[in-house]
Amino acid sequence: MNIQSTSGLSFVLVLLFSSSWAASAQNPEDFLQCLSLHSQNSTSISQVIYTPNNPSYLPILQFSIQNLRFTSSDTQKPTVIVTPSHESQISTVIKCSRTHGLQIRVRSGGHDYEGLSYVSELPFVVLDMIKFKSITVNTETRTAWVQSGSTVGELYYRIAEKSKVLGFPAGVCPTVGVGGHFSGGGYGMMLRKYGLAADNVIDARLVNVNGEILDRKSMGEDLFWAIRGGGGASFGVILEWKIKLLSVPQEVTVFTVDKTLEQNATNLVHKWQSVASKFPEDLFIGIVITRVNSTRDGEQTIQATFHSLFLGGLDRLLSLMQESFPELGLGKEDCTEMSWIESVLYIAGFPRGESLEVLLDRTPLARQLYFKAKSDYVKEPISKNGLEGIWKMFYEDEAEAAVMILSPYGGKMDEILEYALPFPHRAGNLYKIQHLVYWEEEGEVAAERHISWIRRLYSYMAPYVSKFPRAAYINYRDLDVGVNNQGNTSYAQASIWGFKYFKNNFNRLVKVKTMVDPGNFFRNEQSIPPVSLWRKKKGD
C-alpha cells in the first residue's frame, strides 16, 4: 500500500526502515525527510513513495521490468521508488537526491535492454513515470503532446481515436515508453517514409538538474538537439514531448512471408540486401531470422520471415514487388489491406479483429524471458558465404531462441544529415541488425552460456558490418561496447562507447552536458560525461 501520513513523513520514519535497508544508502531517512520538507503537500508526496518495507514496493519495481536478467535477488534494488503524479514532485526528488547523495534512474516503460532505468551499483532512487501518461491530440494543428510515461501503444490509440489518416513513426512494440524511446531516436516501420520518432519531435519539456522546468525555448536549441537521440537520462527528466502527426492513407497493405533454407532463403536474403533500401519510401520490408522445425521429422532449419508495411494499396504493392523483388514470389493471397491502426496491431503480433484497447495494456505481450541484445549497421551486402556462416551459428544449442532482425534504411533516412540529431546512422547504411538471444533457465551458468554465444556471433559479424567505429544503436543498449567508470568518468573512457552510438556527434553531446549538468548528477554506465570533469583529471 502507499505510505499514508497526515503529519508528514517524519512521523512514520521509524516504521519504514529496517537495518538492512538503512545500510543500502547513506541517509535514506534524511532523504525522505527532505522530500517531506520541500514538498508543497507532504501528504501528497507520501502517497507516491515506496520503500522496501512497503508491500507494493516489489510489485511496482517488477511491473515494468522487461528483462528477467535484472530480477535476481542479488540485483541492486532502489532505496526508494517514487511514482510522481505532479511535476513539482520530480523537482523535489532531484533536489533531495542531490543533497543526500542518491542517484536517480528514470523509468518510462522499463525497456532499457541493460536495465539502466531501474538498476544501479550506487545507492539510487527510481523515478517511475508511469503516472505521466496524458496524451493530447490536436488534429487541426496535426500535433500531440505526449507525457513521457505514455507507451507508444497508448499514443497510437489516442491518435486513432481522433483520426484515421494521421499516424506517427514510432516503434513496433506497444509497451515501450516514449520517454526513453524518443530520446534515443525511436524507429518503426515508417522510418523510410518519415524518419525516426525523434525527427518528428518539435518541442519538449524537462526538469533540469536544478529542478527547473524548461521547454524548447527556455532550454535552448543545443539541449533540445541533445535530448532527441542523445539519450534524455544524461540531461534531465523528460516530462513530455510535442510531436507532429503525419499522414497515412485510409488503407495500407501488409504481408508476412516465411521462407526456409529449403525454400531458397539464403538467396532471397542476399537479394533483399541490394533492393530493400532502394524501394520507394512508402514500402518497408524487414526480415526476421529464426531457427524453426523443418518439414523433415526431427530436423530443424533456418527461416527468414519477410514482413512488410506498404503505405498504399495492394495492386501498387504487387506491381512494385514484381518490378524489384520478383524472387520473393509475393502473391495477392499473401497480402491484406487494412487501416493504419489495424496494421499497428498486426505488426505487433495481435490476431486480426483484436480490439484496439489492447494497445492500452502495459503488460508484456509475451511471457517474459532472459535476454541479451546487440546491434550492427551494414553498409555492403553480406556475401552468401557470410550468411551461411550465420545460419551455422544459429544451429548451436544456445541459439534455440535466437533472433536476428534486419531493418532496411534508405528513403527519408538517406535525406537527413547525420549531425541533424545526435542519432548519426543515416545515408550509407543499407540496413540495421538487431541481434537477440533469449533463454528460460535461471542462474549465472545459463546466462553466461547464452551471452557468450551472442558475443561469438557479434565477433563473427565484424568483417561484414560498419567499421571505425563499429556503429551501434543506443536504444538497443549494450554494455559490452564500453562503460563509464563508477562515479565520475573520463572523456576517454566514455568515448569508447560514445563514438559507436553517436559517431562525431558525441563531442557535441559532451559540450551540451558540460553546459547543463557540469557536476554530472544525471549519470549511469553509459551517460554523457561533462568535459570539465575529464579536463580536471588531466590537470588542465
Side-chain angles (χ1 to χ4, degrees):
M1 66 181 74
N2 287 353
I3 303 167
Q4 301 290 340
S5 173
T6 57
S7 58
L9 293 177
S10 56
F11 179 74
V12 295
L13 281 174
V14 70
L15 301 177
L16 293 175
F17 301 106
S18 65
S19 59
S20 62
W21 181 50
S24 69
Q26 294 174 346
N27 292 296
E29 299 96 336
D30 292 345
F31 172 71
L32 288 189
Q33 286 179 326
C34 178
L35 293 182
S36 179
L37 289 171
H38 291 88
S39 296
Q40 297 174 0
N41 185 320
S42 62
T43 300
S44 175
I45 191 74
S46 73
Q47 293 172 349
V48 298
I49 295 171
Y50 302 86
T51 71
N53 283 355
N54 190 308
S56 296
Y57 171 90
L58 271 181
I60 288 173
L61 177 63
Q62 294 174 350
F63 178 76
S64 295
I65 293 179
Q66 309 293 331
N67 189 342
L68 292 183
R69 285 171 57 206
F70 308 109
T71 58
S72 65
S73 59
D74 58 353
T75 299
Q76 291 287 95
K77 305 287 192 299
T79 302
V80 180
I81 302 170
V82 183
T83 59
S85 55
H86 303 291
E87 294 176 352
S88 62
Q89 294 168 343
I90 298 172
S91 298
T92 301
V93 170
I94 291 172
K95 291 174 183 176
C96 291
S97 296
R98 293 182 67 190
T99 299
H100 295 285
L102 291 169
Q103 286 294 292
I104 285 181
R105 296 296 164 104
V106 183
R107 182 167 73 175
S108 296
H111 282 258
D112 188 292
Y113 279 8
E114 297 281 11
L116 298 193
S117 61
Y118 52 86
V119 174
S120 173
E121 293 299 316
L122 301 172
F124 70 109
V125 176
V126 165
L127 198 57
D128 192 323
M129 302 295 287
I130 193 167
K131 294 177 181 175
F132 273 69
K133 56 180 183 179
S134 172
I135 300 171
T136 304
V137 174
N138 187 326
T139 56
E140 291 187 7
T141 60
R142 296 164 68 99
T143 61
W145 277 102
V146 191
Q147 287 190 322
S148 64
S150 307
T151 65
V152 295
E154 291 167 341
L155 171 59
Y156 295 152
Y157 181 89
R158 298 304 174 196
I159 294 172
E161 271 188 323
K162 296 290 186 70
S163 172
K164 305 305 179 189
V165 292
L166 291 175
F168 191 72
V172 168
C173 178
T175 60
V176 170
V178 304
H181 186 59
F182 293 6
S183 70
Y187 83 95
M189 293 183 71
M190 292 201 296
L191 92 162
R192 302 191 66 254
K193 175 72 171 180
Y194 292 123
L196 307 173
D199 292 324
N200 296 285
V201 171
I202 56 177
D203 203 344
R205 297 176 67 248
L206 63 75
V207 186
N208 71 5
V209 70
N210 298 316
E212 302 165 326
I213 297 175
L214 308 175
D215 61 7
R216 178 176 182 172
K217 182 177 180 181
S218 55
M219 76 175 73
E221 288 303 302
D222 285 330
L223 180 52
F224 184 61
W225 173 86
I227 62 175
R228 291 175 295 151
S234 292
F235 305 99
V237 178
I238 307 294
L239 295 174
E240 58 183 338
W241 306 100
K242 186 178 184 181
I243 59 175
K244 60 181 179 183
L245 305 180
L246 301 158
S247 296
V248 294
Q250 288 278 1
E251 282 196 328
V252 302
T253 308
V254 297
F255 70 78
T256 302
V257 173
D258 297 326
K259 297 291 185 180
T260 63
L261 296 185
E262 296 76 19
Q263 297 168 316
N264 203 31
T266 302
N267 288 331
L268 290 171
V269 173
H270 187 258
K271 174 64 182 289
W272 171 91
Q273 295 179 100
S274 300
V275 298
S277 64
K278 298 180 176 67
F279 285 135
E281 61 184 13
D282 289 329
L283 177 57
F284 179 104
I285 302 177
I287 300 177
V288 179
I289 305 294
T290 54
R291 190 174 94 196
V292 299
N293 290 327
S294 173
T295 53
R296 300 169 184 167
D297 289 344
E299 295 187 18
Q300 292 195 308
T301 187
I302 305 304
Q303 178 173 277
T305 298
F306 295 81
H307 60 101
S308 177
L309 170 67
F310 177 59
L311 300 174
L314 170 60
D315 292 340
R316 174 64 177 146
L317 172 61
L318 292 175
S319 174
L320 284 172
M321 293 298 289
Q322 184 59 39
E323 177 184 330
S324 301
F325 196 16
E327 295 88 345
L328 187 62
L330 186 72
K332 187 174 183 179
E333 66 280 4
D334 299 312
C335 305
T336 306
E337 292 181 311
M338 57 180 64
S339 67
W340 175 78
I341 193 63
E342 288 174 325
S343 78
V344 168
L345 298 183
Y346 173 88
I347 294 162
F350 292 107
R352 188 78 194 273
E354 183 71 71
S355 167
L356 293 183
E357 274 67 30
V358 298
L359 295 174
L360 304 177
D361 186 353
R362 298 179 72 103
T363 57
L365 299 179
R367 182 168 54 91
Q368 289 177 302
L369 297 167
Y370 302 87
F371 73 88
K372 171 68 178 175
K374 292 180 170 293
S375 58
D376 268 315
Y377 286 86
V378 178
K379 295 178 176 292
E380 299 290 339
I382 299 173
S383 67
K384 292 179 184 179
N385 284 340
L387 294 174
E388 288 166 353
I390 297 172
W391 311 158
K392 183 178 178 181
M393 292 198 68
F394 265 64
Y395 282 118
E396 295 180 15
D397 291 344
E398 294 80 11
E400 180 180 4
V403 181
M404 182 179 283
I405 303 172
L406 316 181
S407 299
Y409 271 39
K412 185 70 171 180
M413 294 297 283
D414 280 355
E415 299 171 10
I416 300 172
L417 298 176
E418 69 174 40
Y419 52 81
L421 292 185
F423 179 98
H425 314 297
R426 305 290 187 168
N429 292 295
L430 298 179
Y431 60 96
K432 179 178 59 58
I433 301 178
Q434 181 177 188
H435 310 280
L436 289 155
V437 63
Y438 295 90
W439 65 96
E440 296 182 348
E441 309 99 298
E442 297 180 13
E444 286 299 316
V445 173
E448 181 54 39
R449 197 171 73 249
H450 289 88
I451 293 172
S452 175
W453 178 85
I454 200 170
R455 287 171 176 165
R456 285 189 288 108
L457 174 66
Y458 190 72
S459 294
Y460 171 82
M461 295 296 297
Y464 304 108
V465 298
S466 61
K467 301 172 182 65
F468 310 116
R470 183 172 180 176
Y473 176 37
I474 191 172
N475 276 2
Y476 297 154
R477 176 126 28 215
D478 178 12
L479 295 185
D480 288 349
V481 303
V483 294
N484 295 337
N485 300 318
Q486 277 198 16
N488 290 322
T489 196
S490 68
Y491 170 88
Q493 182 77 14
S495 66
I496 294 171
W497 57 264
F499 281 94
K500 294 171 184 173
Y501 287 144
F502 306 116
K503 300 171 85 169
N504 289 330
N505 293 335
F506 178 68
N507 286 326
R508 184 178 175 188
L509 287 169
V510 169
K511 291 178 182 178
V512 176
K513 174 72 170 183
T514 305
M515 288 191 299
V516 303
D517 184 18
N520 201 28
F521 172 68
F522 291 112
R523 64 181 186 267
N524 59 45
E525 287 82 347
Q526 286 185 342
S527 60
I528 305 296
V531 71
S532 54
L533 288 173
W534 64 270
R535 277 185 174 162
K536 287 178 183 176
K537 291 191 176 202
K538 289 168 66 178
D540 292 352

